[in-house]
Amino acid sequence: MMTATAPAKLNLTLEVLKKRPDGFHEIRSVVQTTNFCDKLKLSAAVKIDIQCSRPEWSASKSLVSKAVTLLKNSTGARQGALIEIEKRIPLSSGLGGDSSDAAAVLRGLNLLWNLKLSLRDLISYATQLARTCPSSYTAVRCWSKAGAK
């Protein structure tokens, strides 16, 4: 079993730029991670089982399950995993909890399944999930350019 933390993120600055053809707006932001974190436990299992401490949280709507599917499909991994999420970051609070959880799952499964993916690979997968996910792999403060509705 291994544990991972998924920090909340605050936008210190936020500029809403032009609207894109896909309905999202380009944004530019300075993002700061915090010590306020969700906690994840990952352990080997026969199949994928995702559990959360919050009953209103839905695995099927979360980037966490999308992260698992993306990693399995991209790497050919056949292992299962039990993923237990102690959700401390409020849902839909704008603190990046779901993105951070997904990034932590990519990081954790990389280790648990011994995939030996590089940081560059993990950032590439995270970017495919949401443009805000890669900031979970950077230092405490980073500049971000992404799309938002």
Side-chain angles (χ1 to χ4, degrees), residues 37-40 50-58 83-89 91 101:
C37 301
D38 288 345
K39 295 186 180 180
L40 292 85
I50 304 171
Q51 301 173 2
C52 183
S53 61
R54 286 242 166 110
E56 67 274 22
W57 183 88
S58 169
I83 302 168
E84 300 171 275
I85 304 169
E86 181 186 331
K87 196 83 181 116
R88 298 176 63 215
I89 302 169
L91 301 175
D101 290 345

Side-chain angles (χ1 to χ4, degrees), residues 11 13-17 26-30 143-146:
N11 289 310
T13 66
L14 179 63
E15 294 177 74
V16 179
L17 306 172
E26 288 294 324
I27 64 164
R28 194 170 24 217
S29 178
V30 175
W143 178 84
S144 176
K145 183 178 179 186

Side-chain angles (χ1 to χ4, degrees), residues 41-75:
K41 292 180 188 172
L42 296 93
S43 53
V46 175
K47 62 179 185 157
I48 299 298
D49 183 12
I50 304 171
Q51 301 173 2
C52 183
S53 61
R54 286 242 166 110
E56 67 274 22
W57 183 88
S58 169
S60 64
K61 294 179 184 176
S62 174
L63 291 174
V64 169
S65 55
K66 292 177 180 153
V68 173
T69 300
L70 175 64
L71 203 56
K72 286 183 77 87
N73 290 344
S74 299
T75 64

Side-chain angles (χ1 to χ4, degrees), residues 103-147:
V105 165
L106 290 174
R107 208 171 48 242
L109 291 178
N110 182 42
L111 295 171
L112 185 68
W113 292 344
N114 198 28
L115 297 174
K116 299 181 181 168
L117 298 171
S118 68
L119 178 59
R120 183 180 296 243
D121 292 332
L122 291 171
I123 289 171
S124 175
Y125 290 132
T127 301
Q128 292 175 55
L129 294 169
R131 292 193 181 209
T132 56
C133 278
S135 63
S136 298
Y137 293 115
T138 61
V140 177
R141 186 174 294 158
C142 71
W143 178 84
S144 176
K145 183 178 179 186

